Every structure is written in C-alpha cells, then in structure tokens.
Amino acid sequence: TTIRVGNRYVMLFEGYNDGTRWGAEVAVSDRLDSGWKKLPTKLLDQTKWPGYSDGAMFHVATPAIYNWGGRWYLYVQAAPAGYYINQPWSLWVVDCNDALAPYLQP
C-alpha cells in the first residue's frame, strides 16, 4: 500500500524481519519515483502490540494504514507461528499513531 500524506508518500509492505517472522515495514519519500527511505524494521514490531501472542500474530502480512479521527491505525492480516503459507489468517487493527506520526509530518 502506498498513500500520500501531505507532501510525503508512505509505503507499507511486508518483510521477513531479521529472518525470524514476517512483519509490517514502512518506507517514506517526497517523490514516487525516487528517494525512498526505509524506516527502522522494528517500528511496527508486532511483538509489542497489545494482545500479541505467537499463536495469533507471529506472521503479519498486507499492511495498510488509515487515519481516523486524527489518529493512524494499521490494518493487517496475521497468522500464528508455523509454516507461513499453511496458516489461518485473521484481520487485526492496531493503533500505530505514536510510532508513525513523527514520520508522516511533511
């Protein structure tokens, strides 16, 4: 997912964080065609989310952010630990305003 926030573009994608689990990653740029800067891998670390467990949110995929009422929320699908392809996936929403807001300022 890529969205424009003010004069900045924000891209969310899934990445194999440190080779242990799939998670949400973020990059920002002032232009669509160049200048992308990947933000820290642990910025949206699912192990820090309220209610995290290896049995529910070990792998995270298809991240997208939305602004509701002036706050940023991350929507993801997540699955328990185990073989990535062969898992039940659930939809989750996480308030990520404190983590992302500083990077979304123009």
Side-chain angles (χ1 to χ4, degrees):
T1 301
T2 302
I3 64 170
R4 186 175 178 151
V5 179
N7 294 327
R8 178 166 289 166
Y9 295 93
V10 180
M11 179 189 305
L12 280 90
F13 54 97
E14 55 191 77
Y16 198 45
N17 299 337
D18 300 326
T20 57
R21 66 185 79 227
W22 289 92
E25 300 274 355
V26 185
V28 295
S29 178
D30 294 335
R31 298 174 45 113
L32 275 174
D33 59 354
S34 64
W36 287 97
K37 177 185 175 192
K38 185 176 176 294
L39 300 183
T41 296
K42 296 295 185 180
L43 183 65
L44 297 175
D45 180 3
Q46 67 260 41
T47 65
K48 306 289 188 247
W49 297 349
Y52 173 83
S53 76
D54 283 356
M57 291 185 263
F58 186 82
H59 295 300
V60 170
T62 62
I65 58 169
Y66 298 94
N67 191 291
W68 295 99
R71 292 191 67 79
W72 291 100
Y73 294 91
L74 175 69
Y75 288 75
V76 297
Q77 291 181 320
Y83 183 57
Y84 181 83
I85 302 296
N86 226 2
Q87 294 293 329
W89 292 84
S90 300
L91 181 63
W92 295 84
V93 62
V94 179
D95 183 327
C96 64
N97 195 73
D98 293 342
L100 286 184
Y103 297 101
L104 302 182
Q105 304 303 320

